[in-house]
Amino acid sequence: MEPVICEREAFTVMGTSTRIPTREDSNDKYAKIWSEFERYNEQLKKISTNQKYYGLSFATKQQDLIDYVVGMAVPDGTAPTSEGLVVRTIPTAQYAVFECPIEKIGQTYQYIFGKWLPSSPYKISPIAPAFEEYPPEGQEKLPICIHIPVSKKTE
């Protein structure tokens, strides 16, 4: 399960944002967040640039809290189209990209942080969020791509 290391150009996402503790790895919590996003799904599909879905983990100034944004890619400069939506820009960054089926997301994250990252020549880069990229509707059998922002470890 080796990742592809690549640079990803900046892009913009519009969606819902929920502040959650980093230790809150409850499948039920994430299912609820995605369920809340559903009410905006049709609206966002109309303006999405690629019809893919994103789950992004943005660091906050508060330790052990992240802003988890669920959304779709939209054209740069797009303003929120409804109350309850946010627009976030993901900067250009280098990522380790891991593919997995949706049912193996938790197992893949355990591998990334428990095995791969400690023994790799990379460390987490703070310049961009980690995120999951989900295939468009109707293509759910395609793998999920987990993007971990990385930079080379210094000796």
Side-chain angles (χ1 to χ4, degrees):
M1 183 186 309
E2 286 304 304
V4 172
I5 306 296
C6 64
E7 182 170 280
R8 175 111 186 215
E9 293 296 318
F11 65 104
T12 302
V13 168
M14 183 185 307
T16 59
S17 181
T18 306
R19 183 152 290 178
I20 58 174
T22 54
R23 305 226 188 291
E24 197 165 304
D25 284 338
S26 162
N27 288 340
D28 291 339
K29 177 69 173 176
Y30 287 101
K32 183 178 178 195
I33 292 168
W34 280 90
S35 179
E36 290 170 5
F37 165 79
E38 275 301 310
R39 66 180 169 178
Y40 302 102
N41 187 31
E42 291 304 315
Q43 176 184 343
L44 291 175
K45 282 195 313 190
K46 292 176 184 173
I47 59 172
S48 175
T49 58
N50 64 11
Q51 300 299 302
K52 294 179 181 180
Y53 296 90
Y54 295 87
L56 304 107
S57 299
F58 288 91
T60 66
K61 292 182 178 173
Q62 295 176 280
Q63 188 174 0
D64 298 327
L65 289 176
I66 61 166
D67 286 336
Y68 187 68
V69 175
V70 174
M72 298 183 84
V74 295
D76 293 343
T78 301
T81 55
S82 293
E83 190 173 320
L85 292 176
V86 299
V87 174
R88 299 290 295 263
T89 299
I90 293 76
T92 299
Q94 182 177 33
Y95 289 93
V97 182
F98 297 81
E99 289 188 357
C100 69
I102 193 165
E103 62 273 5
K104 302 250 182 183
I105 289 176
Q107 184 179 351
T108 303
Y109 272 113
Q110 288 175 353
Y111 169 76
I112 292 168
F113 292 106
K115 293 185 179 177
W116 181 79
L117 194 60
S119 64
S120 79
Y122 297 97
K123 63 182 179 180
I124 298 290
S125 171
I127 68 167
F131 66 91
E132 297 122 24
E133 181 179 66
Y134 296 84
E137 270 185 39
Q139 298 181 22
E140 289 85 0
K141 293 191 188 243
L142 292 175
I144 306 302
C145 294
I146 298 174
H147 292 69
I148 306 297
V150 295
S151 59
K152 288 276 193 180
K153 291 177 183 171
T154 54
E155 298 298 322

